[in-house]
Amino acid sequence: MPSPEEYSLFAITAPGLEPLAQAELRAMGIRAAAEPGGVAWTGGADDLYAANLRLRTASRVTALAAEFRARTFFELERHARKVPWERWVPRGGAVRLRVTSKKSKLYHEGAIAQRVLEAIEHRVGPLAAGGVVADEEGGEEQGDAQLFIVRFVRDACTIRADASGALLHLRGYRQALARAPLRETLAASMLLGSGWDGASPLLDPMCGSGTIPIEGALIARRIPPGLASPDREPRDYTFTSWPDFDVERWAKVVDRACEDILPASPVPILGSDRDDGAIEAAASNAARAGVADDVDLSVRPISAIEPPPGPGCIVINPPYGVRVGERDPLRNLYAALGRTLRAGAPGWTLALLSPDHALERQVGIPLDEAVRTSNGGIPVRLVVGQVPETS
């Protein structure tokens, strides 16, 4: 276990996004190790605060509370009562538990949760509402309750304290939605995985409710996702309710982040869609993120796109056609996309989120896999290539 002044931290990511989160942390000066499901490192409060505020590709940041082995409830109770729960739970606070058990003698998740809640109350006193067993990941967050993630695997128990609260993809700006919205963390991962760094023009000709161009504007202006609002006030995080939360250190982390923000995007960022309702949603979302002046949004079909002087990067999350009978029209769409880009954007980088090799081939541009992950439960790959120059 780390010292009392440090935390054993783990940033949870969607599968396949671990190297991107690791690179983000490295850019913050944090040396972290990519592991299945996320990135691990040991750090102090500054690292904890900065990771929550700045990470674009992670879903949640957690701190290790305990690791031990238990094959009986007596062993579980004995170890759980030694955990310094008061580090994360104030007296009279509320607690939520998310418990899973696989290939372990203690398999009854409800009984495990009961023992853990009793151990917490043993150290911090009665809990508000007596504690709650949480739903699966992605369920509704419940007020200010502190979430603990309790995992048993082959009788080894790991307990982690959630530091984030609401999942980190919930930046706060995406309130108006178009069809098949893209999570903010995945949009940012597409941009970072494509190699785009905010120094060249960006275009999304199927932008829907604007998540890709908005995330692009945040990257280009160096705005942390936790400050994606017009007033640049940070969103709420669970760690601000921890008894050892340092208000002054948190303020310094936020101030340093604000000092890095550029007054405007240094490059053109364009988003278009043939659906005027989608563009209306994108415009309102961009305003809520505080980047309305940084994105150029327009209603137009792909065939009418007008890339600015480049080269730059085209990042697209096209429709997938998961239902029977949708593939034929999609083949035509992907082929038309390729023809348009070859004619109008030679030399540009194309990054495409693809569920299907056959659809990728319709684009007619050599594409290599950069990231493999999932979107809405559908396995997808981010494939990247350069639009060939016209002869």
Side-chain angles (χ1 to χ4, degrees):
M1 294 290 291
S3 71
E5 292 76 30
E6 291 187 319
Y7 301 93
S8 177
L9 298 168
F10 190 79
I12 299 171
T13 71
L17 304 186
E18 299 94 341
L20 296 176
Q22 181 185 31
E24 285 195 87
L25 289 168
R26 188 183 305 121
M28 299 180 209
I30 297 172
R31 297 185 62 179
E35 300 178 0
V39 187
W41 76 102
T42 298
D46 285 354
D47 285 356
L48 171 72
Y49 300 166
N52 274 282
L53 187 72
R54 291 179 178 266
L55 277 174
R56 303 181 191 277
T57 60
S59 303
R60 186 188 290 287
V61 178
T62 65
L64 182 66
E67 284 182 308
F68 53 82
R69 296 186 64 82
R71 294 168 58 89
T72 68
F73 283 116
F74 173 76
E75 289 179 297
L76 171 59
E77 291 165 2
R78 179 167 57 85
H79 286 296
R81 288 195 172 200
K82 296 178 182 177
V83 177
W85 302 105
E86 61 275 10
R87 189 175 188 185
W88 303 284
V89 183
R91 187 165 295 275
V95 165
R96 297 168 56 229
L97 301 180
R98 181 170 293 134
V99 181
T100 57
S101 180
K102 297 178 180 178
K103 300 180 180 180
S104 298
K105 290 288 186 182
L106 300 181
Y107 61 86
H108 192 292
E109 294 167 357
I112 294 171
Q114 178 186 348
R115 267 61 170 200
V116 173
L117 286 171
E118 289 172 354
I120 297 172
E121 291 192 313
H122 176 74
R123 292 190 69 115
V124 304
L127 298 171
V132 177
V133 178
D135 295 330
E136 292 298 317
E137 179 71 49
E140 291 293 323
E141 304 296 337
Q142 300 182 16
D144 297 325
Q146 172 62 55
L147 171 65
F148 289 100
I149 302 168
V150 182
R151 296 184 66 226
F152 266 92
V153 179
R154 299 184 186 277
D155 303 321
C157 179
T158 303
I159 303 176
R160 289 194 165 274
D162 167 48
S164 302
L167 291 170
L168 295 177
H169 80 269
L170 298 170
R171 322 281 206 225
Y173 67 76
R174 200 183 65 167
Q175 298 177 23
L177 301 180
R179 184 181 178 185
L182 186 69
R183 274 196 174 187
E184 296 89 327
T185 43
L186 183 51
S189 298
M190 291 173 64
L191 291 162
L192 298 177
S194 74
W196 187 77
D197 59 2
S200 63
L202 174 69
L203 168 63
D204 178 3
M206 299 182 184
C207 74
S209 55
T211 311
I212 289 174
I214 292 170
E215 289 293 318
L218 296 176
I219 291 171
R221 290 190 56 192
R222 305 175 190 168
I223 300 170
L227 299 177
S229 63
D231 58 10
R232 303 294 173 231
E233 287 295 320
R235 53 154 269 184
D236 293 331
Y237 297 98
T238 292
F239 66 77
T240 61
S241 299
W242 290 0
D244 65 353
F245 172 61
D246 190 324
V247 177
E248 292 184 359
R249 291 180 76 171
W250 171 233
K252 290 179 181 178
V253 169
V254 173
D255 288 344
R256 283 196 296 269
C258 289
E259 289 170 1
D260 291 340
I261 295 175
L262 300 179
S265 172
V267 295
I269 296 176
L270 290 76
S272 58
D273 199 286
R274 66 185 310 154
D275 182 348
D276 56 357
I279 292 301
E280 183 178 338
S284 61
N285 289 336
R288 274 186 290 271
V291 295
D293 294 336
D294 301 292
V295 293
D296 183 347
L297 301 168
S298 61
V299 179
R300 65 180 69 201
I302 291 175
S303 59
I305 62 172
E306 298 177 357
C313 194
I314 298 162
V315 182
I316 311 176
N317 176 38
Y320 300 161
V322 294
R323 297 183 181 86
V324 175
E326 292 182 336
R327 289 303 170 95
D328 286 343
L330 282 181
R331 290 190 189 97
N332 296 333
L333 174 65
Y334 280 61
L337 170 65
R339 287 193 299 271
T340 299
L341 297 183
R342 289 193 299 274
W348 283 56
T349 297
L350 170 63
L352 188 78
L353 198 63
S354 168
D356 189 321
H357 292 271
L359 289 175
E360 293 166 30
R361 288 194 290 270
Q362 297 300 314
V363 179
I365 296 171
L367 298 168
D368 296 318
E369 180 180 307
V371 176
R372 185 184 292 254
T373 185
S374 65
N375 182 21
I378 302 171
V380 292
R381 304 183 311 138
L382 179 70
V383 290
V384 181
Q386 189 174 47
V387 181
E389 299 279 358
T390 54
S391 55

